[in-house]
Amino acid sequence: MDFDLRKLRYFVALAEELHFGRAAARLHIAQPALSRQIRALENELKTPLFVRDRRTTVLTAAGEQLLADARDLLAAAEAVHRRVVAAAEAKPVLTVGFMPGIVVTPAVRVLAAARPDVGVRLRRTGWHDQVEVLHDGRVDVSIVRLPIDRRGLTVRPLFEEPRVVMVPAGHRLAGKESVSVTELAGDHLLQDPDAVPEWRDIALELREPGRPEVPRIHSVEEKLELVAAGAGISVIPLSTATFYTRPDVVGIPVEDIGPNRVCLAWLTSRRSPLIDAFAAAAASLVPQA
């Protein structure tokens, strides 16, 4: 069948909200219009996607499967649109994503020397979207920090760097030159425990019910604000800590946690001499890193 991308967008909004009113408001359409589009999609697929009554809306097994696939389809369609628009520009353009704390300028200079005909645009990413921007075409290639979901991506290692724990200036450990991860076992970690498995394996709060909630954090600035306020600690790459210095937060080296690995990533399905040229430029900087 030919998928109607508009119906898929409506479906994804409803699947994420599980409420017709909220989904319709998010899409800026009337609720009856959303209901008609969902019914039309179910008729086309010949299967119900939602079970709904007066109180609840839940996905069926078919709906769960479509949600898993629809996000990729919509991202791919958006990526095609962005690449077509970029191809229409008079000068070739490469858009490069990069994570906080990583300085991209040296690689851009190497690329400019090799390909002076190419324009470069930069886009700062975060932990929540460093892979997403590749799939939906917002960037062509990106400097990422592992771990990431590698599905559909070519990932090339660049370098590793130590990680430090960020604590409030008044924290009991703030004056130490370095710490062991065991000294952090009683602290509240403001990130996914799987991002710091050494802490996860000994953390006291993970051995008791009711771990304090970790708010959704969109940037390093938000994370450091929470640390400074005494809400918890965070483990981040050394370059990020150095870039975002502030007097009320202290970074302390942690002796026994693994380094952060920095890599170059792009869609495996992409065949682009510009991506190859930037990969060569980034690789040339590894000894300096």
Side-chain angles (χ1 to χ4, degrees):
M1 65 173 293
D2 293 327
F3 275 111
D4 183 331
L5 294 181
R6 182 179 61 176
K7 289 192 183 79
L8 281 182
R9 290 191 186 94
Y10 289 177
F11 163 77
V12 169
L14 180 58
E16 291 177 347
E17 299 290 346
L18 292 177
H19 187 280
F20 275 85
R22 289 196 300 269
R26 170 175 156 183
L27 294 164
H28 305 291
I29 62 172
Q31 187 171 327
L34 174 60
S35 297
R36 287 194 299 272
Q37 292 296 325
I38 295 300
R39 283 196 300 270
L41 180 59
E42 289 177 323
N43 290 336
E44 290 170 8
L45 293 170
K46 298 181 174 57
T47 185
L49 301 172
F50 298 93
V51 176
R52 39 205 184 270
D53 56 33
R54 291 183 177 180
R55 293 186 176 182
T56 61
T57 300
V58 297
L59 284 164
T60 64
E64 293 278 6
Q65 183 60 57
L66 181 59
L67 179 60
D69 293 330
R71 288 182 175 130
D72 291 339
L73 280 172
L74 291 173
E78 187 65 27
V80 169
H81 176 258
R82 287 192 169 107
R83 289 197 290 269
V84 169
V85 170
E89 297 189 18
K91 183 177 182 179
V93 174
L94 182 75
T95 304
V96 179
F98 65 98
M99 284 288 283
I102 297 174
V103 178
V104 190
T105 308
V108 173
R109 286 175 178 161
V110 172
L111 177 64
R115 291 290 306 270
D117 60 312
V118 175
V120 177
R121 294 173 184 162
L122 299 176
R123 185 183 186 97
R124 179 187 180 276
T125 63
W127 287 105
H128 63 289
D129 68 351
Q130 60 174 338
V131 168
E132 179 182 308
V133 295
L134 287 164
H135 287 294
D136 67 16
R138 280 177 282 172
V139 304
D140 299 299
V141 61
S142 194
I143 300 176
V144 301
R145 295 189 184 277
L146 301 187
I148 61 171
D149 183 349
R150 299 182 180 222
R151 287 178 295 179
L153 300 179
T154 296
V155 179
R156 180 175 297 177
L158 291 178
F159 59 89
E160 296 181 347
E161 62 170 313
R163 293 189 289 173
V164 300
V165 61
M166 306 303 292
V167 301
H171 192 275
R172 70 184 191 283
L173 301 174
K176 302 193 69 171
E177 291 186 3
S178 65
V179 296
S180 167
V181 72
T182 56
E183 297 178 81
L184 306 173
D187 286 278
H188 174 50
L189 188 71
L190 294 168
Q191 60 204 102
D192 183 349
D194 289 338
V196 192
E198 298 89 348
W199 178 88
R200 177 199 61 203
D201 294 342
I202 62 169
L204 299 181
E205 68 178 37
L206 297 183
R207 280 145 183 77
E208 299 176 358
R211 181 192 183 219
E213 182 181 359
V214 177
R216 182 169 175 80
I217 300 172
H218 298 90
S219 67
V220 178
E221 293 88 347
E222 290 180 17
K223 184 176 292 185
L224 294 183
E225 285 291 338
L226 289 169
V227 171
I233 64 171
S234 183
V235 175
I236 65 176
L238 176 60
S239 63
T240 306
T242 303
F243 191 82
Y244 291 92
T245 55
R246 48 187 293 174
D248 52 357
V249 175
V250 177
I252 311 170
V254 186
E255 301 162 355
D256 45 1
I257 65 171
N260 176 244
R261 290 182 290 162
V262 176
C263 298
L264 199 64
W266 63 90
L267 292 181
T268 302
S269 59
R270 291 290 307 278
R271 297 290 184 272
S272 168
L274 297 186
I275 292 177
D276 294 340
F278 186 80
S284 71
L285 301 177
V286 173
Q288 297 175 35

